[in-house]
Amino acid sequence: MTGATRTHRSAVQVRAFRRGTWQPSADTVALPGHSGRLSLSLVPEAVAVADRRRYEPPAGSLPPAARRKLIGTALGLLDRGTVTVGGLGEQSAADFRTALWETAGIPAALTDRWCGLLRAATPYAVEEPDGALALVSLPGNTFTCLESVLAEAARSAAVWVRPSRREPLSAARMVAALLEAGWPPERLGFYPTEQSALRTLVGLTDRQTVYGGAGLSAAVRTAIRTGASDRLHVRGPGRGCALLPPGTDPAGAVEWLLPLVAGDGGRFCSNVRTVVCVSEEEVSTGRGAEEAHAATRALACGVARRLAAALDAIRTEPVDDRLPLAAFRVPGEAGRCARRLREGLGPGDRMLTRRPPAARGTGGAEYALPALALLGAGAGPGHPLVGREVSFPFVAVLAASPAGAAAVAAGSSFVHRPRGGAL
């Protein structure tokens, strides 16, 4: 083993799916929230290498129309059906929601919403499949990234799914739902591994989609430079931002911004992490420049205060159905995450949300509470809290010149602007 955790012999083990069957492993990692009673099988690198050596492209065809129908059936099963997950046995829709809440802190309201988003994003425009063995390595923040699994299933000879060790249950259920729908088992794989084995999987497969934070993205991208793969698609941090023009109404801005910041538990890469209040056109010196800077700073303060109050009003429990928050299941992790965020505050920065950084819920749940930082004068794209992605709602608000705003936007994959100019 390399970092895996041996769990108790009586632990229920979520199995890997390889070579057409669900298989247990001697290497496991305990899932959070169950005191070691639920574990995840880990596939050693040597086993994955051996599987690739034995792999042969599946015989026969699975035409686009058939794939499209099976994917639609599988999505219905994922959301509302009963499927057989290796190691867990039959799992109903209610069982799935309970398991996600107990292990990953994802409330049923988010599970319902994310299943709906997956159905809306189904790749119904299925293209003629090629002969590739594809890999999709998933994140732990949201299971809507299963969209990439379905996209690769739609166009590849076979797809191997590498789940997050933090939240593997949705990926296991997706594989089980595809099998239940009638997907040929030789065209699927469920390969949980240590993070150190990811580069090996990249090198073993023909086409890859890899999700992860900045550190993981940088590490995996080295595979491109070393020639391990020229078909690697890395989906790293989105660092979503919103740009507010001069004259924006602060109250209207907050109504627009709140779901962008706190929607989906703040776990999407498209969530707004930075709000930039943009000054008038560049004026380098003189009274006009002073007035422009003062007006922009006043806008930033007004938006920040109102948005902080709105974030403070979001409930943890009972779940706020409009803006549900996800819980943390690793003891102390919520507090550590919130403290690391506050370590990024510099001179002149202020945290305007008033609640404690973290709170306890029922059944051992812990929450990192939504947070907002108003950054001091002169803050720009190099500030450690600009574009900072955490697994709960957080946003930094700052005033900037047009050039400064453009620099923040240049580092963001998702740039939100109010429709029709000022709100």
Side-chain angles (χ1 to χ4, degrees), residues 324-393:
L325 298 176
F328 288 70
R329 287 299 185 184
V330 176
E333 185 180 17
R336 289 192 294 271
C337 189
R339 285 194 297 274
R340 285 196 297 269
L341 189 67
R342 282 158 173 76
E343 290 170 358
L345 293 171
D349 302 334
R350 290 181 290 158
M351 195 68 74
L352 294 190
T353 37
R354 296 181 177 274
R355 288 188 290 183
R360 292 187 178 274
T362 59
E366 297 179 4
Y367 296 88
L369 297 179
L372 180 146
L374 176 62
L375 304 187
H383 193 288
L385 296 184
V386 169
R388 179 73 170 269
E389 291 192 352
V390 290
S391 53
F392 63 95

Side-chain angles (χ1 to χ4, degrees), residues 22 74 77 83-86 91 170-182 188:
W22 294 100
L77 290 167
V83 300
T84 301
V85 181
Q91 183 190 65
S170 58
R173 183 173 171 86
M174 184 78 261
V175 170
L178 284 166
L179 293 168
E180 187 78 22
L188 284 173

